[in-house]
Amino acid sequence: MPLVTSTEMFKKAYEGGYAIGAFNVNNMEIIQGITEAAKEERAPLILQVSAGARKYAKHVYLMKLIEAALEDTGLPICVHLDHGDTFEICKSCIDGGFTSVMIDGSHHSFEDNIALTRQVVDYAHARGVVVEGELGRLAGIEDAVNVSAEDASYTNPAEVEEFVQKTGVDSLAIAIGTSHGAYKFKPGQKPRLRFDILEEVQRRLPGFPIVLHGASSVIPEFVEMINAHGGQMPDAIGIPEDMLRQAAKMAVCKINIDSDLRLAMTASIRRHFAEHPDHFDPRQYLTPARANIKGLVQRKLKNFLGCDGKA
Ligand code: G3H
Ligand code: 13P
Ligand code: ZN
């Protein structure tokens, strides 16, 4: 099966009340852990590559590894550029075989975001590639201190119809209180997402696929494992899984996960070195790290994404 776009995946996910997992990939072990999990669960999959991942591993290496995963699993896999911030990087990924790109113009004015996104959509659609746009800025923990700053970063539902209509995007990332990284809420602060905004966006864009970034749960078991074996990640907190399940039942068709993969890998490697200080063959510590990623992804596919058995 060749690489696919996310169009069919999102249509089925929207209708079925589940979400597709979009997992960030940076090397072979991460790709294998994710795709082995998806293969066992018969889940459709989005593998996403950031600018940082392309710099770290090189576009061609990631592309060849993903092609190998495609052959190995027989699954529908979409390869997506995560947070493209210029037309040039989107073009390079489209020309280089990606089936989906994100143009993240959220740091621009509304008008400039529309113009940049439209430029990418025109180039992508002419080549059969789909585009994710973004409206609203994902809150960082600092923003949440100040209510007006917090409000300013959420997506304004009144803007979504105009944005989608003028840009022609295929999906839209919105900001409802999630954030990137392992520190999403302050200790003692009750995790809260603005489901009212999601509901209003869904009302204004019926049937349109919405994307949730910054959606790692920052699984406490991995944070504890890291801290118990020499790590220092106090107060790492993520998005509760029941909230992600709720979002997946609504208009959210794509849920982005990177930090949880990093935690799974790091926790496993830290524990391995603590238990086997004499080991120095990378296969000795990367084998359990890859297995830990596989287990994590399998749980996510079944528990809150609900896309197991949907391939
Ligand atoms: O949203 C950001 C992703 O976690 C990718 O992170 O740019 O460090 O690869 P990165
Ligand atoms: P996390 O940092 O919560 O895993 O979010 C990843 C993401 O949004 C990638 O675009
Ligand atoms: Zn993101």
Side-chain angles (χ1 to χ4, degrees), residues 106-107 134-140 143 149-150 152-155 175-176 178:
S106 60
H107 47 287
E134 176 162 334
L135 253 189
R137 271 180 305 108
L138 252 62
D143 293 337
E150 185 188 26
S153 63
Y154 290 137
T155 301
I176 58 167
T178 61

Side-chain angles (χ1 to χ4, degrees), residues 24 50 52-53 82-83 180 258 262:
N24 283 73
S50 68
D82 190 29
H83 293 282
H180 292 111
D258 188 3
R262 297 177 181 192

